[in-house]
Every structure is written in C-alpha cells, then in structure tokens.
Coordinates of all heavy atoms in Angstrom, one line a residue:
M1 N 92.7 205.9 111.1 CA 93.9 206.7 111.1 C 94.3 207.1 109.7 O 94.4 206.3 108.8 CB 95.0 205.9 111.8 CG 96.3 206.6 111.8 SD 97.5 205.5 112.6 CE 98.6 206.7 113.1
A2 N 94.5 208.4 109.5 CA 94.9 208.9 108.2 C 96.3 208.5 107.9 O 97.2 208.3 108.8 CB 94.8 210.4 108.2
K3 N 96.6 208.3 106.6 CA 97.9 208.0 106.2 C 98.8 209.2 106.4 O 98.5 210.3 105.9 CB 98.0 207.6 104.7 CG 97.3 206.3 104.4 CD 97.5 206.1 102.9 CE 96.7 204.9 102.4 NZ 96.9 204.7 101.0
P4 N 100.0 209.0 107.0 CA 100.9 210.2 107.1 C 101.5 210.4 105.7 O 101.9 209.5 105.1 CB 101.9 209.7 108.1 CG 101.8 208.3 108.3 CD 100.4 207.9 107.8
K5 N 101.6 211.7 105.4 CA 102.2 212.0 104.1 C 103.7 212.0 104.2 O 104.3 212.4 105.2 CB 101.7 213.4 103.6 CG 100.3 213.4 103.3 CD 99.8 214.7 102.7 CE 98.4 214.5 102.4 NZ 97.8 215.5 101.6
A6 N 104.4 211.5 103.2 CA 105.9 211.4 103.3 C 106.5 212.3 102.2 O 106.1 212.3 101.1 CB 106.3 210.0 103.1
R7 N 107.5 213.0 102.6 CA 108.3 213.8 101.6 C 109.2 212.8 100.8 O 109.3 213.0 99.6 CB 109.1 214.8 102.3 CG 109.9 215.7 101.4 CD 110.8 216.7 102.1 NE 110.0 217.7 102.7 CZ 110.5 218.7 103.3 NH1 111.8 218.9 103.5 NH2 109.7 219.7 103.8
A8 N 109.9 211.9 101.4 CA 110.8 211.0 100.8 C 110.4 209.6 101.2 O 110.3 209.3 102.4 CB 112.2 211.2 101.1
L9 N 110.1 208.7 100.2 CA 109.7 207.4 100.5 C 110.5 206.4 99.7 O 110.3 206.3 98.5 CB 108.2 207.2 100.2 CG 107.5 206.0 100.8 CD1 107.5 206.0 102.3 CD2 106.0 206.0 100.3
A10 N 111.4 205.7 100.4 CA 112.3 204.7 99.7 C 111.4 203.5 99.3 O 110.5 203.1 99.9 CB 113.4 204.3 100.6
D11 N 111.8 202.9 98.2 CA 111.2 201.7 97.7 C 111.8 200.5 98.4 O 112.9 200.1 98.2 CB 111.3 201.5 96.2 CG 110.7 200.3 95.6 OD1 109.8 199.7 96.3 OD2 111.0 199.9 94.5
L12 N 111.0 199.9 99.3 CA 111.5 198.7 100.1 C 110.7 197.5 99.7 O 110.7 196.5 100.4 CB 111.3 199.0 101.6 CG 111.9 200.2 102.2 CD1 111.6 200.4 103.6 CD2 113.4 200.2 102.0
S13 N 110.1 197.4 98.5 CA 109.3 196.3 98.1 C 110.1 195.0 98.0 O 109.6 193.9 98.1 CB 108.6 196.6 96.7 OG 109.6 196.9 95.8
D14 N 111.5 195.1 97.8 CA 112.3 193.9 97.8 C 112.4 193.2 99.1 O 112.7 192.0 99.2 CB 113.7 194.2 97.2 CG 114.4 195.3 98.1 OD1 113.8 196.3 98.4 OD2 115.6 195.0 98.4
L15 N 112.1 193.9 100.2 CA 112.1 193.3 101.5 C 110.8 192.8 102.0 O 110.7 192.2 103.1 CB 112.5 194.4 102.6 CG 113.9 195.1 102.3 CD1 114.1 196.2 103.3 CD2 115.0 194.1 102.4
A16 N 109.7 192.9 101.2 CA 108.4 192.5 101.5 C 108.2 191.0 101.4 O 107.4 190.6 100.5 CB 107.3 193.3 100.7
Q17 N 108.8 190.2 102.2 CA 108.7 188.8 102.2 C 107.9 188.3 103.4 O 108.3 188.8 104.5 CB 110.1 188.1 102.1 CG 110.9 188.5 101.0 CD 110.3 188.2 99.6 OE1 109.7 187.1 99.5 NE2 110.5 189.0 98.6
P18 N 107.0 187.4 103.3 CA 106.3 187.0 104.6 C 107.2 186.4 105.6 O 108.1 185.6 105.3 CB 105.3 185.9 104.0 CG 105.2 186.2 102.6 CD 106.5 186.8 102.1
G19 N 107.1 186.9 106.8 CA 107.9 186.4 107.9 C 109.2 187.2 108.1 O 110.0 187.0 109.0
A20 N 109.5 188.2 107.2 CA 110.7 188.9 107.2 C 110.7 189.9 108.4 O 109.7 190.4 108.8 CB 110.9 189.7 106.0
E21 N 111.9 190.0 109.1 CA 112.1 191.0 110.1 C 112.8 192.2 109.6 O 113.8 192.0 108.9 CB 112.9 190.4 111.3 CG 112.1 189.4 112.1 CD 112.8 189.1 113.4 OE1 114.0 189.5 113.6 OE2 112.3 188.3 114.2
I22 N 112.3 193.4 109.8 CA 112.9 194.6 109.3 C 113.2 195.5 110.5 O 112.3 195.8 111.3 CB 111.9 195.3 108.4 CG1 111.6 194.4 107.2 CG2 112.5 196.6 107.9 CD1 110.5 194.8 106.3
T23 N 114.5 195.9 110.7 CA 114.9 196.7 111.7 C 115.1 198.1 111.2 O 115.7 198.3 110.1 CB 116.2 196.2 112.3 OG1 116.1 194.9 112.8 CG2 116.7 197.1 113.5
V24 N 114.5 199.1 111.9 CA 114.6 200.5 111.5 C 115.1 201.4 112.6 O 115.0 201.0 113.8 CB 113.2 201.0 111.0 CG1 112.7 200.2 109.8 CG2 112.2 201.0 112.1
R25 N 115.7 202.5 112.3 CA 116.1 203.5 113.2 C 115.1 204.7 113.1 O 114.9 205.2 112.0 CB 117.5 204.0 112.9 CG 118.0 205.1 113.8 CD 118.4 204.5 115.1 NE 119.1 205.6 115.8 CZ 119.6 205.4 117.0 NH1 119.4 204.3 117.6 NH2 120.2 206.4 117.7
V26 N 114.4 205.1 114.2 CA 113.4 206.0 114.1 C 113.8 207.4 114.6 O 114.6 207.5 115.6 CB 112.2 205.6 115.0 CG1 111.1 206.6 115.0 CG2 111.6 204.2 114.4
T27 N 113.4 208.5 114.0 CA 113.6 209.8 114.4 C 112.3 210.4 114.6 O 111.6 210.8 113.7 CB 114.4 210.6 113.4 OG1 115.6 210.0 113.1 CG2 114.7 212.0 113.9
P28 N 111.8 210.5 115.9 CA 110.5 211.2 116.2 C 110.7 212.7 116.2 O 111.8 213.2 116.2 CB 110.1 210.7 117.5 CG 111.4 210.4 118.2 CD 112.4 210.0 117.1
K29 N 109.6 213.4 116.1 CA 109.6 214.9 116.0 C 110.5 215.5 115.0 O 111.1 216.5 115.2 CB 110.0 215.5 117.4 CG 109.0 215.1 118.5 CD 109.2 215.7 119.9 CE 110.4 216.6 120.1 NZ 110.6 217.0 121.4
A30 N 110.5 214.8 113.8 CA 111.3 215.3 112.7 C 110.5 216.5 112.0 O 109.4 216.7 112.2 CB 111.5 214.2 111.7
A31 N 111.2 217.1 111.1 CA 110.6 218.2 110.3 C 109.6 217.7 109.3 O 108.7 218.4 108.9 CB 111.7 219.0 109.6
Y32 N 109.8 216.5 108.8 CA 108.9 215.9 107.8 C 108.9 214.4 107.9 O 109.8 213.8 108.5 CB 109.3 216.3 106.4 CG 110.7 216.0 106.0 CD1 111.0 214.8 105.4 CD2 111.7 216.9 106.3 CE1 112.4 214.5 105.1 CE2 113.0 216.7 105.9 CZ 113.3 215.5 105.3 OH 114.6 215.2 105.0
N33 N 107.9 213.7 107.4 CA 107.9 212.2 107.4 C 108.7 211.7 106.2 O 108.6 212.2 105.1 CB 106.4 211.7 107.2 CG 105.6 212.1 108.5 OD1 106.1 212.0 109.6 ND2 104.3 212.4 108.2
A34 N 109.5 210.7 106.5 CA 110.3 210.1 105.4 C 110.7 208.7 105.8 O 110.8 208.3 106.9 CB 111.5 211.0 105.1
V35 N 111.0 207.9 104.7 CA 111.6 206.6 104.9 C 112.8 206.6 104.0 O 112.7 206.7 102.8 CB 110.7 205.4 104.5 CG1 111.4 204.1 104.6 CG2 109.4 205.4 105.3
L36 N 114.0 206.4 104.6 CA 115.3 206.5 103.9 C 116.0 205.2 104.0 O 116.0 204.6 105.1 CB 116.1 207.7 104.4 CG 115.5 209.0 104.5 CD1 116.3 210.0 105.3 CD2 115.2 209.5 103.1
R37 N 116.7 204.8 102.9 CA 117.5 203.6 102.9 C 118.9 204.0 102.6 O 119.2 204.6 101.6 CB 117.0 202.6 101.9 CG 117.7 201.3 101.8 CD 117.2 200.5 100.7 NE 117.0 199.1 101.1 CZ 116.5 198.2 100.4 NH1 116.0 198.5 99.2 NH2 116.3 197.0 100.9
Q38 N 119.8 203.8 103.6 CA 121.2 204.2 103.4 C 122.0 202.9 103.6 O 122.4 202.5 104.7 CB 121.6 205.2 104.4 CG 120.8 206.5 104.3 CD 121.0 207.5 105.4 OE1 121.4 207.2 106.5 NE2 120.7 208.8 105.1
G39 N 122.3 202.2 102.5 CA 123.0 200.9 102.6 C 122.1 199.9 103.2 O 121.0 199.6 102.7
D40 N 122.5 199.3 104.3 CA 121.7 198.3 105.0 C 120.8 198.9 106.1 O 120.1 198.2 106.7 CB 122.6 197.2 105.7 CG 123.4 196.4 104.6 OD1 122.9 196.4 103.5 OD2 124.4 195.8 104.9
V41 N 120.9 200.2 106.3 CA 120.2 200.9 107.4 C 119.0 201.5 106.8 O 119.0 202.2 105.8 CB 121.1 201.9 108.1 CG1 120.3 202.6 109.2 CG2 122.4 201.3 108.6
I42 N 117.8 201.3 107.5 CA 116.6 201.9 107.1 C 116.2 202.9 108.2 O 116.1 202.6 109.4 CB 115.4 200.9 107.0 CG1 115.8 199.9 105.9 CG2 114.1 201.6 106.7 CD1 114.8 198.7 105.8
K43 N 116.1 204.2 107.8 CA 115.7 205.3 108.7 C 114.3 205.7 108.4 O 114.0 206.0 107.3 CB 116.7 206.4 108.6 CG 118.1 206.0 109.1 CD 119.0 207.2 109.0 CE 120.4 206.8 109.5 NZ 121.3 208.0 109.6
V44 N 113.5 205.9 109.5 CA 112.2 206.4 109.4 C 112.1 207.6 110.2 O 112.3 207.6 111.4 CB 111.1 205.3 109.8 CG1 109.7 205.9 109.6 CG2 111.3 204.0 109.0
M45 N 111.7 208.7 109.6 CA 111.5 210.0 110.3 C 110.0 210.3 110.3 O 109.3 210.2 109.3 CB 112.3 211.1 109.6 CG 113.7 210.8 109.5 SD 114.8 211.9 108.5 CE 113.8 213.2 108.0
V46 N 109.5 210.6 111.5 CA 108.1 211.0 111.6 C 107.9 212.3 112.4 O 108.8 212.6 113.3 CB 107.3 209.9 112.4 CG1 107.1 208.6 111.5 CG2 107.8 209.5 113.7
T47 N 106.9 213.1 112.1 CA 106.7 214.3 112.8 C 106.0 214.1 114.1 O 105.9 215.1 114.9 CB 105.9 215.3 111.9 OG1 104.6 214.6 111.6 CG2 106.6 215.6 110.6
T48 N 105.5 213.0 114.4 CA 104.7 212.7 115.6 C 105.6 212.7 116.8 O 106.7 212.2 116.8 CB 104.0 211.3 115.4 OG1 103.4 211.2 114.1 CG2 102.9 211.1 116.5
V49 N 105.0 213.1 117.9 CA 105.7 213.0 119.2 C 105.7 211.6 119.8 O 104.7 210.9 119.6 CB 105.2 214.0 120.2 CG1 105.4 215.5 119.8 CG2 103.7 213.8 120.5
P50 N 106.7 211.1 120.4 CA 106.8 209.8 120.9 C 106.0 209.6 122.3 O 106.7 209.4 123.3 CB 108.2 209.5 121.0 CG 108.8 210.8 121.3 CD 108.0 211.8 120.6
E51 N 104.7 209.7 122.3 CA 104.0 209.5 123.5 C 102.8 208.7 123.2 O 102.0 208.9 122.2 CB 103.6 210.8 124.1 CG 102.8 211.8 123.3 CD 102.6 213.1 123.9 OE1 103.4 213.6 124.7 OE2 101.5 213.7 123.7
G52 N 102.5 207.7 124.0 CA 101.4 206.8 123.9 C 101.4 205.9 122.6 O 100.3 205.4 122.2
G53 N 102.5 205.7 122.0 CA 102.6 204.8 120.9 C 102.2 205.5 119.6 O 102.1 204.8 118.5
K54 N 102.0 206.8 119.6 CA 101.6 207.4 118.4 C 102.7 207.4 117.3 O 102.4 207.2 116.1 CB 101.2 208.9 118.7 CG 100.0 209.0 119.5 CD 99.7 210.5 119.9 CE 98.6 210.7 120.9 NZ 98.5 212.0 121.3
A55 N 103.9 207.7 117.7 CA 105.0 207.7 116.7 C 105.2 206.3 116.1 O 105.4 206.1 115.0 CB 106.3 208.2 117.4
T56 N 105.1 205.3 117.0 CA 105.3 203.9 116.5 C 104.2 203.5 115.5 O 104.5 202.8 114.5 CB 105.3 202.9 117.7 OG1 106.4 203.3 118.6 CG2 105.5 201.5 117.2
A57 N 103.0 203.9 115.7 CA 101.9 203.7 114.8 C 102.2 204.3 113.4 O 102.0 203.7 112.4 CB 100.6 204.1 115.4
D58 N 102.7 205.6 113.5 CA 103.0 206.3 112.2 C 104.2 205.6 111.5 O 104.2 205.6 110.3 CB 103.2 207.7 112.5 CG 101.9 208.5 112.7 OD1 100.9 208.0 112.5 OD2 102.0 209.7 113.1
V59 N 105.2 205.2 112.3 CA 106.3 204.5 111.7 C 105.8 203.2 111.0 O 106.2 202.9 109.8 CB 107.4 204.1 112.8 CG1 108.4 203.2 112.2 CG2 108.0 205.4 113.3
A60 N 105.0 202.4 111.6 CA 104.4 201.2 111.0 C 103.7 201.5 109.7 O 103.8 200.8 108.7 CB 103.6 200.5 112.0
A61 N 102.9 202.6 109.7 CA 102.1 203.0 108.5 C 103.0 203.4 107.4 O 102.8 203.0 106.2 CB 101.1 204.1 108.9
L62 N 104.0 204.2 107.7 CA 105.0 204.7 106.6 C 105.8 203.5 106.1 O 106.0 203.4 104.9 CB 105.9 205.7 107.2 CG 105.4 207.1 107.3 CD1 106.4 208.0 108.0 CD2 105.1 207.7 105.9
L63 N 106.2 202.6 107.0 CA 107.0 201.5 106.6 C 106.2 200.5 105.7 O 106.6 200.0 104.7 CB 107.5 200.7 107.8 CG 108.5 199.6 107.6 CD1 109.7 200.1 106.8 CD2 108.9 199.0 108.9
A64 N 104.9 200.4 106.0 CA 104.0 199.5 105.2 C 103.8 200.2 103.8 O 103.9 199.4 102.8 CB 102.6 199.4 105.9
R65 N 103.7 201.5 103.7 CA 103.6 202.1 102.4 C 104.9 201.9 101.6 O 104.8 201.7 100.4 CB 103.4 203.6 102.6 CG 101.9 204.0 102.7 CD 101.6 205.4 102.8 NE 102.1 206.2 101.7 CZ 102.3 207.5 101.8 NH1 102.1 208.2 102.9 NH2 102.8 208.2 100.7
A66 N 106.0 202.0 102.3 CA 107.3 201.9 101.5 C 107.5 200.4 101.1 O 108.1 200.2 100.0 CB 108.5 202.3 102.4
L67 N 106.9 199.5 101.8 CA 107.0 198.1 101.5 C 106.0 197.7 100.4 O 106.1 196.6 99.8 CB 106.8 197.2 102.7 CG 108.0 197.2 103.7 CD1 107.6 196.6 105.0 CD2 109.2 196.4 103.1
G68 N 104.9 198.5 100.3 CA 103.9 198.2 99.3 C 102.9 197.2 99.9 O 102.3 196.4 99.1
I69 N 102.7 197.1 101.2 CA 101.8 196.2 101.8 C 100.8 196.9 102.7 O 100.9 198.1 102.9 CB 102.5 195.2 102.7 CG1 103.3 195.9 103.8 CG2 103.5 194.3 101.9 CD1 103.9 194.9 104.8
A70 N 99.7 196.2 103.1 CA 98.7 196.8 104.0 C 99.3 197.0 105.4 O 100.1 196.2 105.8 CB 97.5 196.0 104.0
P71 N 98.9 198.1 106.1 CA 99.4 198.3 107.4 C 99.1 197.2 108.4 O 99.8 197.0 109.4 CB 98.8 199.6 107.8 CG 98.5 200.3 106.6 CD 98.2 199.2 105.6
S72 N 98.0 196.4 108.1 CA 97.6 195.3 109.0 C 98.6 194.1 108.8 O 98.5 193.2 109.6 CB 96.2 194.9 108.7 OG 96.1 194.4 107.3
Q73 N 99.4 194.1 107.8 CA 100.4 193.0 107.6 C 101.7 193.2 108.3 O 102.6 192.3 108.2 CB 100.6 192.9 106.1 CG 99.4 192.5 105.3 CD 98.8 191.1 105.8 OE1 99.6 190.2 105.8 NE2 97.6 191.1 106.1
I74 N 101.8 194.3 109.1 CA 103.1 194.5 109.8 C 102.9 194.7 111.2 O 101.9 195.4 111.6 CB 103.8 195.7 109.1 CG1 105.2 195.8 109.6 CG2 103.1 197.0 109.3 CD1 106.1 196.8 108.9
T75 N 103.7 194.1 112.1 CA 103.5 194.2 113.5 C 104.9 194.5 114.2 O 105.9 194.1 113.6 CB 102.9 193.0 114.2 OG1 103.7 191.8 113.8 CG2 101.5 192.7 113.7
L76 N 104.8 195.2 115.3 CA 106.1 195.5 116.0 C 106.5 194.3 116.8 O 105.7 193.7 117.6 CB 105.8 196.7 117.0 CG 107.0 197.1 117.8 CD1 108.0 197.8 116.9 CD2 106.5 198.1 118.8
R77 N 107.7 193.8 116.6 CA 108.3 192.7 117.3 C 109.0 193.1 118.6 O 108.8 192.6 119.7 CB 109.2 191.9 116.4 CG 110.2 190.9 117.1 CD 109.8 189.5 117.2 NE 108.8 188.9 116.3 CZ 109.1 187.9 115.4 NH1 110.3 187.6 115.2 NH2 108.1 187.4 114.8
R78 N 109.9 194.2 118.5 CA 110.5 194.7 119.7 C 110.9 196.1 119.5 O 111.1 196.6 118.3 CB 111.7 193.8 120.0 CG 112.8 193.8 119.0 CD 114.0 192.8 119.5 NE 114.6 192.2 118.3 CZ 114.3 191.1 117.8 NH1 113.4 190.4 118.3 NH2 114.9 190.6 116.7
G79 N 111.1 196.8 120.6 CA 111.5 198.2 120.5 C 110.4 199.2 120.7 O 110.5 200.3 120.1
A80 N 109.4 198.9 121.4 CA 108.2 199.8 121.6 C 108.6 201.2 122.1 O 108.1 202.2 121.7 CB 107.2 199.2 122.5
T81 N 109.6 201.2 123.0 CA 110.0 202.5 123.6 C 111.4 202.9 123.1 O 111.9 203.9 123.6 CB 109.9 202.5 125.1 OG1 110.8 201.4 125.6 CG2 108.5 202.2 125.6
S82 N 112.0 202.2 122.2 CA 113.3 202.5 121.7 C 113.3 203.2 120.3 O 112.3 203.1 119.6 CB 114.1 201.2 121.6 OG 115.3 201.4 121.0
R83 N 114.4 203.8 120.0 CA 114.5 204.4 118.6 C 114.8 203.3 117.6 O 114.5 203.5 116.4 CB 115.6 205.4 118.6 CG 115.2 206.7 119.4 CD 116.2 207.8 119.2 NE 116.3 208.1 117.8 CZ 117.4 208.8 117.3 NH1 118.4 209.1 118.1 NH2 117.4 209.1 116.0
D84 N 115.4 202.2 118.0 CA 115.6 201.0 117.2 C 114.5 200.0 117.3 O 114.3 199.5 118.4 CB 117.0 200.4 117.5 CG 118.1 201.3 117.3 OD1 118.2 201.9 116.2 OD2 119.0 201.3 118.2
K85 N 113.7 199.9 116.2 CA 112.5 199.0 116.3 C 112.7 197.9 115.3 O 113.3 198.1 114.2 CB 111.3 199.8 116.0 CG 111.0 200.9 117.0 CD 109.8 201.7 116.7 CE 109.6 202.9 117.6 NZ 109.6 202.6 119.0
T86 N 112.1 196.7 115.6 CA 112.1 195.6 114.7 C 110.6 195.3 114.4 O 109.8 195.0 115.3 CB 112.8 194.4 115.3 OG1 114.2 194.8 115.6 CG2 112.8 193.2 114.3
F87 N 110.3 195.3 113.1 CA 108.9 194.9 112.7 C 109.0 193.6 112.0 O 110.0 193.2 111.4 CB 108.4 196.0 111.7 CG 108.1 197.3 112.4 CD1 109.0 198.3 112.5 CD2 106.8 197.5 112.9 CE1 108.8 199.5 113.1 CE2 106.6 198.7 113.5 CZ 107.5 199.7 113.6
V88 N 107.9 192.8 112.0 CA 107.8 191.5 111.3 C 106.6 191.6 110.4 O 105.6 192.1 110.8 CB 107.8 190.3 112.3 CG1 106.6 190.4 113.2 CG2 108.0 189.0 111.6
L89 N 106.8 191.0 109.2 CA 105.7 190.9 108.3 C 104.9 189.6 108.5 O 105.6 188.6 108.8 CB 106.2 191.0 106.8 CG 106.5 192.3 106.3 CD1 107.6 193.0 107.0 CD2 106.8 192.3 104.8
K90 N 103.6 189.7 108.5 CA 102.8 188.5 108.8 C 103.0 187.5 107.7 O 103.1 187.8 106.5 CB 101.3 188.9 108.9 CG 101.1 189.7 110.2 CD 99.6 189.9 110.4 CE 99.4 190.8 111.6 NZ 98.0 191.1 111.8
E91 N 102.9 186.2 108.1 CA 102.9 185.1 107.1 C 101.5 185.1 106.4 O 100.5 185.5 106.9 CB 103.0 183.8 107.8 CG 104.3 183.6 108.6 CD 105.5 183.4 107.7 OE1 105.3 182.9 106.6 OE2 106.6 183.6 108.2
Q92 N 101.6 184.7 105.1 CA 100.3 184.7 104.3 C 99.4 183.6 104.7 O 99.7 182.5 104.9 CB 100.7 184.7 102.8 CG 101.4 185.9 102.4 CD 100.6 187.2 102.4 OE1 99.3 187.1 102.2 NE2 101.2 188.3 102.6

C-alpha cells in the first residue's frame, strides 16, 4: 500500500510510547490528507471513502507517519466503523 501524502502532518512523536492508546477523530472524504493536533484532540482527515476499511487503513498509515513509527507498530483497538477511533502502539 502506498503512503498517503499529507498536506499537514502534526508532530506526534511525544505520544509514541509502547502500549500507548491514542484516540483520534476521523474525517473521511476530506479535501486533503492531514493530521491535526488541537489541544488534546487529534484529528485525522483522509480523502479515502469509508468502505471496506480503506479509510481506517489510511488513518493508521498517516498516524504512524505523524508518530514517527512503522505502520506495523500500530493497531486499531476500537472504532472500526466509528469516526472516533482508538489505536494502540505495540509493546517492544
């Protein structure tokens, strides 16, 4: 899978702790891909349509890039069909 290009990518490297849970608010079918941090809220915008898990996969890839980790180190904990998703970073 190709890396989705992001117009705005917040630096979330301070959250990249093994076992950490990260909750995000997703906007599918956006005009551009972006990861935004507004206080304690992390918003992820993807251009992908939310069907068949495609948008969730792109959200995970963008979030991994913002965290500075490999996409294989992040998994979805809850919210597969919701706009509010919780991801967990794998233990080392």
Side-chain angles (χ1 to χ4, degrees):
M1 175 181 202
K3 289 185 191 177
K5 295 188 179 193
R7 180 182 289 183
L9 194 62
D11 181 18
L12 304 177
S13 59
D14 59 314
L15 301 176
Q17 304 297 326
E21 285 191 0
I22 300 171
T23 302
V24 298
R25 177 78 171 177
V26 178
T27 304
K29 294 182 5 181
Y32 55 90
N33 293 324
V35 177
L36 306 172
R37 184 183 223 175
Q38 298 171 339
D40 293 339
V41 179
I42 299 171
K43 294 184 178 184
V44 181
M45 301 174 4
V46 292
T47 57
T48 315
V49 294
E51 56 186 34
K54 294 176 188 175
T56 301
D58 282 351
V59 168
L62 279 175
L63 190 57
R65 272 183 58 200
L67 290 165
I69 61 172
S72 62
Q73 296 298 310
I74 191 168
T75 56
L76 182 67
R77 165 94 20 114
R78 62 183 151 265
T81 59
S82 172
R83 289 185 62 199
D84 295 316
K85 299 182 183 305
T86 301
F87 292 90
V88 65
L89 278 64
K90 291 186 181 176
E91 298 285 338
Q92 295 291 332

